[in-house]
Amino acid sequence: MKNGIHPAYGYVVFRDRSADYAFLTRSTATSDKTITWEDGNTYPVVDVEISAASHPFWTGRTRLLDTAGRVEKFRAKYARARGQK
C-alpha cells in the first residue's frame, strides 16, 4: 500500500441514542466528539440514527401495513383501466 493516501483506521464508538446502545469498533469514521469508554480510554464517538438495537427487523417490532387497503386500491386502479379499453 502507498503511504499517506489512506485514512486513519482506529477505534471509534458508534452510539445509537434512540436505543441507548453503543459499541466500540474500528473504523475510518471520525468525529470531533469524544466519549470515555468502559476501559477508561477516550475514543471518538459517532452518533447514528439507527442500529441493530433499534431497527425493526432486528428487534421484531415491525409496523403492520394496511395491506387490505393497498389491495383494494390496486384492484380499483386496474378495474378502471380495464373498463376504458
Side-chain angles (χ1 to χ4, degrees):
M1 293 192 312
K2 292 183 178 180
N3 290 331
I5 64 169
H6 299 286
Y9 184 70
Y11 288 100
V12 177
V13 174
F14 286 94
R15 180 173 53 189
D16 182 356
R17 288 190 176 265
S18 63
D20 195 29
Y21 176 72
F23 59 94
L24 177 67
T25 188
R26 293 186 57 151
S27 176
T28 59
T30 60
S31 175
D32 294 334
K33 295 186 264 180
T34 60
I35 189 171
T36 303
W37 193 243
E38 300 161 352
D39 61 3
N41 293 327
T42 302
Y43 299 105
V45 63
V46 176
D47 290 324
V48 294
E49 295 291 325
I50 196 161
S51 70
S54 62
H55 193 280
F57 179 80
W58 298 109
T59 60
R61 294 178 291 170
T62 59
R63 295 182 310 181
L64 294 175
L65 298 176
D66 182 22
T67 55
R70 288 182 171 190
V71 171
E72 293 304 318
K73 185 177 177 181
F74 175 82
R75 287 183 179 162
K77 177 181 176 180
Y78 286 99
R80 287 191 307 261
R82 190 179 311 155
Q84 292 176 353
K85 288 184 178 179

